[in-house]
Structure formats: structure tokens, C-alpha cells
Amino acid sequence: MSKKFEMFFVSMVMMFLLAACGGNNEESPEANNNDTEVKEENAEANGANEEAAADAEFTIRAGIGLNNEHPQYKGLEKFKEIVEEETDGAIHVETYHSGQLGDDRTMMEALQLGSQEVTVPSTAPIANFVSDFSIFDFPFLFPNSEVADEVLDGEVGQKFLDKLDDQNLKGLAYWENGFRDLTNSEKEVASVDDFEGLTIRTMENDLHLDAFRAMGANPTPMAFTELFTALQQGTVDGQENPFATIYLEGFYEVQDYVSDTHHIYSPFVFLMSKSFYDTLPEDYQEVVDNAALEAGKYQRELNREANDEYLDSLVEEGMTFTEISDEAREEMRLAIEPVVEEYAAELDQDLVNEVYQAIEDAQK
Ligand code: KDG
């Protein structure tokens, strides 16, 4: 069975099981993502889960695309710890990684349908549900993560989260994916000219596609769950993700070159199914609100350490590192500027101005 078909088959089976189980999971998901083997400990954990779930009033199934080594998953475990402790086990949290419950879009749709309770996607796929979110994927928008924190955790960030309600999604907090960097298997990329002809996988987001086209690359949208295989088989030459993901997902095994393009600061959004959230009593709603924020702080901290640490590890694994100069980064920004202006014109102008203003204020 081909890997892709296997993934598709497993996703279908998972969706069926989740829908059939309704409130409580009685089956352990057995899914294989990329080359990440389903860990035995996962099956064991799910065995323990079954008992705890049986005693619980509510079960939250929380799934992400990245693997269980990633700070995103550690954040999810922290969320579980806080929620179960604070509710004395009345809310039971099951955590799934590596796309075991599907890719970002599938999981968001499952939240809308009420067959999954939590996921933590990047803002890029969220823009397909609430288009205003695409502003957070404007290349070179946030100068650093401190400014991003201030804007996202502030009033304007909350306005975006509120927009998710209409989609039956409850946005509880911003977590962090981080600054995205380019890898490929063909050549060193030091300047905008070097993008010419490279086939690059991007997230499923039109702005990302247009931005890479503007730099001369040949972008292809693809779910994260398909990425490792696509790189391995040479379906695409490259991809872009923060160093932590590049290292922890083992992309260095199938990619030779890495450049610190830092072209987009990618936030994660902690999402809950709104129909599920609305069934929780008020005190439990408060618990999940605070847990999403607390776990987010912890996740951001781990994520920043990981992104600082793993470039060296990528070089140790044999990747060639190309440092992007300030001038080269400015050339990239200029190449993408018309795309950003075009997308900005399509969005809620007051909100766009508020974001720009908040970024300026955060730098004062
Ligand atoms: O869990 C989140 C991931 O599925 C995804 O958003 C990671 O940045 C990502 C990508 O490139 O798809």
C-alpha cells in the first residue's frame, strides 16, 4: 500500500471511529504519519485513557499535525495536565499528534462538526475559514516574537479570535509555530534570485502561494501530513518551516540546504469546537480558557528554546546553512510587497490598520 494511500485510509478510519464514538473514545487511534511510527506507548496511554474517559463527564480529543517531540505537543500535554487537575478528572483530555486525527483542515472541520474538540493549527489554514486571519501570514509582518506576543495577546488579537465564533470555532489562545525558514534539496538560497525554479511546498493558503510565486519559486500547497514523503520522493524540492519542525520532523534526512529566511512569523491558534465549549458549565469554561493560555505560555517558551537550538543540530546532521543578509531579506520583502498590498486591500481595513498600529505601538 503506498504511504499516501495508507495515510488517507487511516484518516478515513479515524474519522469514522471518532464520529461513531461520539462523546467518548473507546478505540485507540492507530495511524502512521510520514515516517513517524505509531509509538507503543501511545497505545498504552490510550488504554489508560479509556479508563479515565469512562469516569469523566467530558472528553476532549486534542489533535495536532506535528509529532510528539515538538513543543506543540508538550503544550498539549500541559493543557491536559492543568485541565484534568483543575476539574478533578471531570474533563478528560486525550492528546493526538502527527496528524493521527487528520491534517489541519480536516481537524478544523471535525471541530465544526463536533466530532473532535481541540486542534492547534497555524493561522495560514485558518484563513480559509476566516479570511481576515491571512494578515498574520503577511511576510515580514512581525519583527520579533515579543512584538507578536504583545499584538496577538492584546485587544486586536482577541478581535480575530472572536471572528471564529461564526464558524463554530472558539479561539482560546495564540501559541507559537515561529519564524519560518527555507530548506531544499537543490542549492544554497542566499538571495531572492535563488528562488527561481524551486518547487516549494507551502501550507494551503493563497497568500503563501502568491508570495513564493512573487519570488520566482514554483509553490505547491500541501497538507503537512504529506510533506515528508513529498520531500523524500522529490515531488517538491523544498519546504519552509521553523528550525524546530525541520529538526524534530527529521527533514534534514531528505533536505540538504537550509537558509534563515525568517520570512513569516507563524502563530498557532488554540481552537475548541464552539458547540462543545458551549456545553461546558461556566466554571469548566474558565478552566479551559486559563489552561489554553497557561499551556500556551509554556509552549512558547519551549518553542523559542527549540528554534534557537536546532539550527546547530541541523548543521551537525550535515545540512549546509546559508545565512540571509539584511539586504537579501529586504529584497525578498520588496518582491513580496505588491502581493501583501493586494491581500491587505481585500481585508477589513479598520482591522488591518489596527494590526499595523499595534505592531508600531509594541515597538515603542
Ligand atoms: O499542528 C500544526 C501543523 O499541522 C502545521 O500547522 C504545521 O507549519 C505547519 C505546516 O507547515 O503545515
Side-chain angles (χ1 to χ4, degrees), residues 2 10 14 42 115 136 138 215 235 240 265 276:
S2 81
V10 167
M14 278 306 307
N42 199 24
S115 56
F136 294 133
F138 283 4
M215 290 196 286
T235 318
E240 40 83 57
Y265 175 83
F276 172 77

Side-chain angles (χ1 to χ4, degrees), residues 144-208:
N144 56 52
S145 43
E146 289 71 32
V147 169
D149 286 357
E150 212 166 313
V151 175
L152 296 170
D153 298 346
E155 231 174 88
V156 66
Q158 185 58 46
K159 284 192 184 168
F160 281 85
L161 296 183
D162 292 345
K163 282 177 174 264
L164 292 160
D165 285 18
D166 287 348
Q167 293 291 320
N168 196 26
L169 298 169
K170 184 89 191 153
L172 295 187
Y174 291 94
W175 290 16
E176 177 184 271
N177 195 349
F179 282 96
R180 304 181 77 86
D181 295 298
L182 183 80
T183 67
N184 80 94
S185 56
E186 291 296 308
K187 57 181 174 184
E188 284 200 50
V189 173
S191 73
V192 71
D193 298 336
D194 298 326
F195 280 83
E196 190 62 43
L198 279 181
T199 49
I200 308 285
R201 172 274 177 176
T202 71
M203 289 190 277
E204 296 169 291
N205 174 295
D206 289 342
L207 169 63
H208 282 235

Side-chain angles (χ1 to χ4, degrees), residues 63-66 72 102-104 107 119-123 125 177 180 201-203 222-225 227 239-242 245 266 268:
I64 54 166
L66 301 177
Q72 191 191 27
D103 59 35
D104 284 344
M107 289 193 281
T119 188
V120 195
S122 306
T123 44
N177 195 349
R180 304 181 77 86
R201 172 274 177 176
T202 71
M203 289 190 277
M222 193 183 289
F224 188 79
T225 42
L227 180 54
Q239 65 84 46
E240 40 83 57
N241 253 298
T245 302
S266 198
F268 282 141

Side-chain angles (χ1 to χ4, degrees), residues 24-41:
N24 277 316
N25 265 13
E26 276 152 24
E27 303 282 336
S28 306
E30 290 264 313
N32 197 351
N33 177 53
N34 302 334
D35 282 341
T36 311
E37 301 230 320
V38 172
K39 305 270 191 301
E40 275 179 13
E41 76 214 36

Side-chain angles (χ1 to χ4, degrees), residues 60 77-93 270 272 284 287-292:
I60 292 178
E77 284 183 317
K78 177 61 86 188
F79 174 79
K80 172 182 168 72
E81 185 189 309
I82 300 172
V83 168
E84 291 184 348
E85 198 179 304
E86 306 248 311
T87 63
D88 273 332
I91 300 184
H92 170 65
V93 182
F270 187 100
M272 186 170 276
Y284 287 176
V287 169
V288 296
D289 290 351
N290 291 333

